[in-house]
Amino acid sequence: MVVDCFSVHGSEDLEMKDGGQDKIVKKSLKRKRVSVPEYASPEDRESRINELREELNSLFQYFREVSFQKVCFDESSGGGCSSTSMIACFLEESDLPHSKLVEKIYDKLKMREGISLAYVRSTVLSVGQRLMFGIANADADVLEDNSEACLWCWETRDLKLIPKIQRGGLSIRRTCRKKIRERIAAVSAMISSLQMPKSCQNYRTDLVKASEKIGKVLNQADIRLLVENMVQKNGTDMDEKGAKLKEKELIKGLERNKREVEKEKKKMGRELQKEKIRSALLKCLDLQSETIDQEVKTEWEVNVINM
């Protein structure tokens, strides 16, 4: 049984006069409702702990579902990308330990000029970071730990290294993972507080803090709704960008066609001008030929008379 220990709320009405007319402004002063759950029996506490563990398992599954979607990099078209950008794409959203990740990336890039194992190792650490999204473990080796409960994930420090077309979806997945981590932390804290003996001095204080924390962060259903809305907004933005790009392409196409028509007109004009010049030259040559023939004929007649 869960008992609501106390709650505080209140309201008051304030009257204000403005310009001789009475205006009643009702202002509700509400304090946040504070609920401290107390579990009357060990069975109630154990039941609540089991519910929270089931929620943790569901959050872990959701995290893996999100992480299954990764940045896609077309290796065949990587010729125009820098080695740093390619390494950033290969490490993004990977859950591998540092040593295995380095080997995997090196196998993909070793045929490129200037790529060595040492270069890949140092670049991975400079452009990426390995983050924990699961149950916190202060003793875990950040680079090499491989425990499933930690939910490790590599992220690129600078999103500009990721192809622009994939940044929108990647940002949504990053937000989702962050919200999942917040919920896992809150649920874990609640489990820890419930597992404390009631005789412990900090039992009630820790329980209140854990209850407040779990009430503030989004649960899985809310996270899914948030992601859905973000995906829709991202799709709308992409549609708008696509429409603008299409508009620009159409304008460029029209301008290109116009330039082609102008070039064709100029070409036809030049051909016509050449034809006119050619005709004039031929006519001139014909006239010259007739003049020459007439001069030759006159000279022949004079020679005949003189005979």
Side-chain angles (χ1 to χ4, degrees):
M1 177 179 67
V2 180
V3 181
D4 229 6
C5 289
F6 63 89
S7 62
V8 181
H9 64 277
S11 63
E12 60 180 15
D13 291 343
L14 303 177
E15 291 190 1
M16 299 178 63
K17 294 185 178 181
D18 184 15
Q21 295 180 348
D22 292 341
K23 291 185 178 179
I24 299 177
V25 180
K26 292 185 177 181
K27 182 179 179 182
S28 297
L29 302 176
K30 292 185 178 180
R31 297 179 186 176
K32 187 174 181 180
R33 182 180 178 87
V34 181
S35 298
V36 182
E38 288 191 358
Y39 298 87
S41 67
E43 289 77 13
D44 291 334
R45 295 170 67 188
E46 190 63 31
S47 175
R48 179 58 177 152
I49 290 171
N50 288 336
E51 289 176 3
L52 294 169
R53 283 175 175 164
E54 288 179 4
E55 183 178 353
L56 274 182
N57 291 334
S58 181
L59 288 166
F60 274 49
Q61 183 61 36
Y62 183 33
F63 180 89
R64 297 187 185 97
E65 176 188 326
V66 174
S67 298
F68 184 75
Q69 308 170 56
K70 299 185 184 298
V71 169
C72 298
F73 181 75
D74 186 2
E75 298 178 46
S76 62
S77 63
C81 295
S82 66
S83 299
T84 303
S85 294
M86 295 179 72
I87 291 173
C89 291
F90 287 134
L91 72 82
E92 183 67 38
E93 299 182 287
S94 172
D95 62 346
L96 293 174
H98 177 250
S99 56
K100 291 185 178 180
L101 178 63
V102 168
E103 291 176 2
K104 182 178 179 180
I105 295 176
Y106 177 67
D107 286 340
K108 292 177 179 292
L109 301 179
K110 60 185 178 182
M111 300 305 293
R112 289 173 65 94
E113 185 178 355
I115 297 296
S116 65
L117 191 61
Y119 172 78
V120 174
R121 185 181 295 112
S122 62
T123 304
V124 166
L125 292 177
S126 64
V127 305
Q129 55 185 341
R130 195 171 188 234
L131 302 176
M132 184 189 300
F133 290 90
I135 298 175
N137 182 359
D139 298 326
D141 184 340
V142 175
L143 293 179
E144 296 299 333
D145 182 78
N146 203 25
S147 57
E148 293 185 1
C150 288
L151 296 180
W152 295 105
C153 184
W154 284 89
E155 287 189 359
T156 306
R157 300 178 192 273
D158 187 359
L159 269 179
K160 291 180 181 178
L161 293 172
I162 304 298
K164 192 172 183 179
I165 194 172
Q166 300 198 49
R167 292 176 197 167
L170 176 57
S171 296
I172 293 172
R173 294 196 296 277
R174 284 189 174 188
T175 299
C176 181
R177 281 192 288 266
K178 181 181 177 182
K179 295 301 179 184
I180 292 174
R181 176 172 58 190
E182 291 174 356
R183 186 66 185 181
I184 287 175
V187 173
S188 299
M190 191 67 183
I191 291 175
S192 297
S193 65
L194 288 172
Q195 289 176 332
M196 291 175 61
K198 279 186 147 185
S199 57
C200 182
Q201 183 179 358
N202 296 327
Y203 169 78
R204 185 178 180 80
T205 303
D206 289 349
L207 189 60
V208 170
K209 289 181 179 179
S211 299
E212 289 178 347
K213 186 175 181 181
I214 205 169
K216 289 179 180 178
V217 299
L218 301 179
N219 59 29
Q220 185 177 158
D222 292 333
I223 296 172
R224 287 183 180 274
L225 182 60
L226 171 66
V227 170
E228 183 180 342
N229 291 335
M230 291 178 70
V231 169
Q232 290 178 355
K233 185 179 183 301
N234 184 60
T236 302
D237 292 344
M238 289 299 292
D239 288 343
E240 290 176 357
K241 290 177 182 178
K244 290 180 180 178
L245 287 173
K246 190 172 182 180
E247 181 181 352
K248 288 181 179 179
E249 289 176 0
L250 287 172
I251 293 172
K252 286 182 179 179
L254 291 172
E255 291 176 347
R256 186 167 53 249
N257 291 337
K258 186 178 180 180
R259 288 194 299 269
E260 291 294 332
V261 170
E262 291 295 328
K263 285 173 64 176
E264 192 64 27
K265 284 182 178 180
K266 289 180 180 180
K267 184 178 178 181
M268 291 178 66
R270 287 195 298 268
E271 291 293 333
L272 183 60
Q273 190 67 23
K274 287 179 182 179
E275 187 64 31
K276 288 180 179 180
I277 294 172
R278 190 181 297 111
S279 298
L281 287 173
L282 288 173
K283 187 176 181 180
C284 184
L285 288 173
D286 289 340
L287 290 173
Q288 288 180 355
S289 177
E290 290 178 3
T291 304
I292 292 171
D293 290 343
Q294 185 63 37
E295 289 178 353
V296 171
K297 183 179 179 181
T298 304
E299 186 179 355
W300 179 80
E301 289 177 346
V302 170
N303 289 335
V304 171
I305 293 170
N306 291 335
M307 289 177 63

